[in-house]
Amino acid sequence: MAENQEIMEEKRIKLRKSDLMKSFAIWELTSEMCLSYERLMSLGFCHAMLPILKRLYPDKDDLADAMTRHMAFFNTENQFGALIPGMIASVEEERANGTDYSDEVINGLKIGLMGPLAGVGDTITQGLVKTILLAICVEMGLKGNVWGSIIFFVLYTAYILGVGYTMFFSGYKLGKNAFSKISDTSIIRKLTDCMGVLGMTVAGCMIANYVSIQTVATFTSGDTVIEIQALLDEIMPGILSVGTVFILYALIRKNVSVIKIMGVLVVIGILGAFVGIF
Amino acid sequence: MAENQEIMEEKRIKLRKSDLMKSFAIWELTSEMCLSYERLMSLGFCHAMLPILKRLYPDKDDLADAMTRHMAFFNTENQFGALIPGMIASVEEERANGTDYSDEVINGLKIGLMGPLAGVGDTITQGLVKTILLAICVEMGLKGNVWGSIIFFVLYTAYILGVGYTMFFSGYKLGKNAFSKISDTSIIRKLTDCMGVLGMTVAGCMIANYVSIQTVATFTSGDTVIEIQALLDEIMPGILSVGTVFILYALIRKNVSVIKIMGVLVVIGILGAFVGIF
Amino acid sequence: MAENQEIMEEKRIKLRKSDLMKSFAIWELTSEMCLSYERLMSLGFCHAMLPILKRLYPDKDDLADAMTRHMAFFNTENQFGALIPGMIASVEEERANGTDYSDEVINGLKIGLMGPLAGVGDTITQGLVKTILLAICVEMGLKGNVWGSIIFFVLYTAYILGVGYTMFFSGYKLGKNAFSKISDTSIIRKLTDCMGVLGMTVAGCMIANYVSIQTVATFTSGDTVIEIQALLDEIMPGILSVGTVFILYALIRKNVSVIKIMGVLVVIGILGAFVGIF
Amino acid sequence: MLQAVLVALCTWVCASGIEFTCWSIQLCSPIIFGPIVGAIMGNMELGLQIGCATQLVYMGNIMVGGVGSVDYPMAGCVATALAVATGAAPEMGVTIAVSFGLFGMLAESGKMTLCSIFVHRADKCAARADTKGITFYNVVCPQIINFFFYFIPAFLAVRFGAEYLTDLLDALPEVILTGLEAVGMLLPALGIAMLMKAIFNLKFLPYFIIGYVLSSYLELGMIAVSLVGVAFALMYWFSYREPENSEEV
Amino acid sequence: MLQAVLVALCTWVCASGIEFTCWSIQLCSPIIFGPIVGAIMGNMELGLQIGCATQLVYMGNIMVGGVGSVDYPMAGCVATALAVATGAAPEMGVTIAVSFGLFGMLAESGKMTLCSIFVHRADKCAARADTKGITFYNVVCPQIINFFFYFIPAFLAVRFGAEYLTDLLDALPEVILTGLEAVGMLLPALGIAMLMKAIFNLKFLPYFIIGYVLSSYLELGMIAVSLVGVAFALMYWFSYREPENSEEV
Amino acid sequence: MLQAVLVALCTWVCASGIEFTCWSIQLCSPIIFGPIVGAIMGNMELGLQIGCATQLVYMGNIMVGGVGSVDYPMAGCVATALAVATGAAPEMGVTIAVSFGLFGMLAESGKMTLCSIFVHRADKCAARADTKGITFYNVVCPQIINFFFYFIPAFLAVRFGAEYLTDLLDALPEVILTGLEAVGMLLPALGIAMLMKAIFNLKFLPYFIIGYVLSSYLELGMIAVSLVGVAFALMYWFSYREPENSEEV
Ligand SMILES: OC[C@H]1O[C@H](O)[C@@H](O)[C@@H](O)[C@@H]1O
Ligand SMILES: OC[C@H]1O[C@H](O)[C@@H](O)[C@@H](O)[C@@H]1O
Ligand SMILES: OC[C@H]1O[C@H](O)[C@@H](O)[C@@H](O)[C@@H]1O
């Protein structure tokens, strides 16, 4: 960071159009390749940011920081959600040039946008556009007309690239407008806090949306059957999910190795299935 | 306003009992005559305030301001809601005598009270009193006894005038007690903000209550039928209503003529019905 | 209080283990003996606090204050909820030694904890443990094996005493850790306010949970039946309960004797039943 | 002929919207106008009975935000007149009333659409402090609409029979009716938008959002949201501090 | 006679409300008292079986805020005694238990109403730091009520047969029962009102309103509202600033 | 043999997760791969028809958060190939597709479980700024899984008939399948916990609690909670004041 600020005094690091294009291409090609239950698109997002980050952070430590930052849980609909990598590109640009955006601002932005854009995007892309295009083209295909397939492929691809491209570069421009003007450190501190508020609010909701740990355990004796999950729901719906997240969070904070935790989870999952908990 | 303050130094403008009686009479006679979809009782409210405003604002500009202020969207139940014109009369009286109540205080009051009083009033007046009186009198009428009609007319009118009168003058007295004691400008500023908070909260709810723009558009091809409204509701319930309000608000802020907007809305409505959107 | 502070300068009053044990014993033996509709476990709680309070407040006025403080409405599940008397014991200890904890802190603690612990406790104690133990033992009993009864008695009693004891003393230790470190008066003021916030939030919910005043009054004429309760629910669910509470609160604040109020309530209840309101 | 004029007059009065002669806008009740129209048509008692029977059907009707489920001037006056004229039994009269009540809702919603025009005219009067103008637009103008929407149809119906009305309705293409409905659906957005202009304050946008979420997602009504609004306003009041130097934002 | 006294004693103990001998107030379970009463009546095994069968019926019964769906002292002790006395099959015993369980809820709610009196007496003891008084009202007095509401009816039932109880019940006019219920419904309002006196603070009224809206409109339970309350309290904590000059409001 | 390889290749491509050649991960649609596989098997038109008929069945399928109700590579490619091979009617083809679609969901969830490993490897690459590593784990590795989970089963199915797959499935004990599901249910908790590490701030815990209550008790979705989050953030913004002396808490 220190080095960056010196650099800035000499010259600003600017993203080139080609960096953005590369980033967009990676986004469209690979962002859902390594979708995992654990973090969904996290790796895809990080990958798509590489052309940006490589340009902005010549220093290896800064680069490592930035890459790690973008390995966090992420999920959105890829076309409308392309706004997010675009916008983050511009925030990283400002950051590389010395504005002191904390991780909270960046994470808050990602978290605050990913949910709504997934909702909007899934509804429009999969619910509307896909269905309409299919409705037309399937009709043709059923009659044996192969143009149905071709038209669908062409139009759908055009839609995806068109919307994705527009959103990605709008995101960049929007971010540019909003973030490049902020230099007052007190405003940045304010922004950091507000993004923290947004991020934490949505995080409370993400647990209910992405984690759904449920037990199928029952206790039976004679005619009496007790469903443990029903009792737990009475205490607090989603208590297992939120409890697990906080236990894991505590472990991570105590620097327990994440790989170890994952191993334990796998063991718990399989053992749990074996003894009839899951 | 400037003039008013000078006047105040000489003598306070006071509302006479006859002004209030006139206002109440107009309220009871005409407040629902020009009920419109666009602003419901707005014109009726403004009309009922005239005897008050004419007395309080000898200066024509002040009068015009005040009249315009009371042309805003308004709706309540007229008997219980009579509290509102009564209370506003006292606030205007303070304002005319120099206390610096902003439009936000006055609008906040109106908006904050009109909803609850409509709920209470409709339930009691139409749900309870009307039904009870009718239940008794209809019985008589069905047997051919014209006293049923007469008794209903007399009692219901008595109820309406009684409740209306009581509420109107209680409103005035209440307002008098609450608002005439406030002179500290810092408290007024505080009040202004709080009324803004109240008004905006309720405004967010008013859209869902008074505007219900829905599209009946569907997309059909073969057996596939997509209801656009269902998709929109998934994104956000009432999105068309809130979207329309904000678009219109933006236009109004850009000083687009309201008459023009109304014309466009009429055209959109009819065209929309024609092409099957509404 | 004044005296206490002097005493403190000389020596701190400390609770003995035997005081806590006595308190716990009273809690387990008598806390639900005088359960009343009006205040549920209030008297039981006060009784259980006596060994604590007698030790801490040698001064009679202080003792009377403290006892009165713990006569307020209280209800929880006794095993998990044993945390509360334990924790309150430690807060009272600090208070007796000069830290200026207001009634708001103590009431806020009690109110904020009693609801969640009742929910958790009822679910686990009655929903889970009781049902499981019964399921096993009833089976035996049905076959005529009296060991079913004996085992149930032993295990259930062990559970109750075990959980109760653990929670009571954990509460004391927890409170000790949390409250004995606070000496800064500005933090105490802050804490007081926060407990007020918590207490008032939960109080708003307690009305809906503990008071359910409903009228069965209907108005009938011919075929028309109006259920008054349905109309009231439309205005505001629970309006009778919240209304009654506030009327009584106003009376109490005006120093109307509580015994008198109770008498009037009894009369209203019976008369109301007589005329068909309840 | 005279009967037709008198019944049409009754219908007009009944639709006038005077609060205390009836209940509230367009709700003048059949129990009152039934016997009057009956008397005009020569059989007060039958009119009374039809009126009361009609009333019974709409016993639970509540008018909220200008929207009810029946239009009384048509259901009460015109239908009663026609029923008395044909000497129908009260039950028959009710059937006629129900269909006229529905027809009348068209007149009602047409009126509430058109009244916007007067409201906008009145805006201009307000801007130049023309109090006479306000009175004119609030009192006189709506009655002109009522003349066309209530007096004329009522007169035609009573004079030439109900089929005149039905023909009139059939002559209007479906799309025009839907279009009018659509306009009636769009207009409130304008009213609220104008209100927003009066009260909007970026600083308070969060409260607007919360009000919106409470009402549209959690389906809380006006009373509940107003309660929450009061709570927020009080919080604001108690946590208020004088702005430090100058007004922020 | 002795049997009747002993069974009545059991019923009384069972209703005493000692936490750890049974479960919690009035929940002394039939599985425990079934065999004891059975032994008194001369057939422990039958008593055990009836007790367990009764228990089975109420397996899911949960007592929340003092309100359950059965009264165990009556359902467990008295009903078992009667069933054993008549040598009924366990199934028959259950039927008797169910009706006695309902009857007992009357005793229970009567008790919870009357206990208010002791609580108010105890208030006065508290005010004069009379710790003995507290003990007296909390422990001794309720047992006197229990004597009348449990011992006596149990004794009568076992001695003279169930019809005595039914007669007793029939002798009470319906309106008195409803009246007592109504009083039981009104009393908690007093308890909460007194609590309000202890904690009410105008400054925190907004939180009260929000708690109320959450629970009565959105039907959130105590746990959820407490969570929200904690959230508000924390917000308050983190945004707290020392009052500028003096206490506001 | 060649056919089997080619169809398996198609299945692999279809499962690759390239966004714009198909729709999004594993959603490569039967309408596109139907005719291709058909052509490979020697009857493009039949393939097209089966593909389209399959598509029709899943018309309303929406994939949210990586979870859909069908796996297209299996339902589209493999099922079509088998159906064309046996010369089945399109309707028959759809039946095969449905069962393969379900089978494929197993492959899918297995993949999403295993991919966690690559993500953790990638974490290490990120920590040492190894950009090549990121690419390797994001692009190359998942395709290896796809090879085993899609190419091999597809090849076997087309080469030796569907029963091979069924046997494979039967060979896996039930508990392993449930166990894998359980792991897939536990893993997101780790992802969120790591996110929490990045954003957790005690000061903002209240907002977390409220977000949690809104979503789990009141069942508000992400969009609604984000709206509320924005509202809170704005409130914070407008009420923000510079910390007095030093950072609090
Ligand atoms: O709902 C309040 C109010 O709305 C409109 O103004 C009319 O329908 C009134 O009759 C009603 O009382
Ligand atoms: O609900 C909490 C609590 O309420 C009352 O005090 C009794 O019903 C207890 O048995 C119960 O545990
Ligand atoms: O729900 C958002 C997003 O979630 C996952 O990443 C996939 O299912 C996508 O197809 C979807 O768009």
Side-chain angles (χ1 to χ4, degrees), chain A residues 32 35 40-41 75-77 118 122 126, chain F residues 24 63-67:
Chain A
E32 296 205 68
L35 210 66
L40 286 151
M41 293 184 187
N75 192 49
T76 195
E77 193 272 338
D122 284 345
Q126 299 192 48
Chain F
S24 62
M63 197 148 171
V64 169
V67 181

Side-chain angles (χ1 to χ4, degrees), chain B residues 20-39:
Chain B
L20 291 167
M21 278 306 294
K22 263 188 230 158
S23 173
F24 173 65
I26 296 175
W27 175 256
E28 283 299 346
L29 280 163
T30 75
S31 59
E32 296 205 69
M33 276 193 178
C34 194
L35 210 68
S36 71
Y37 277 129
E38 191 196 323
R39 281 188 250 166

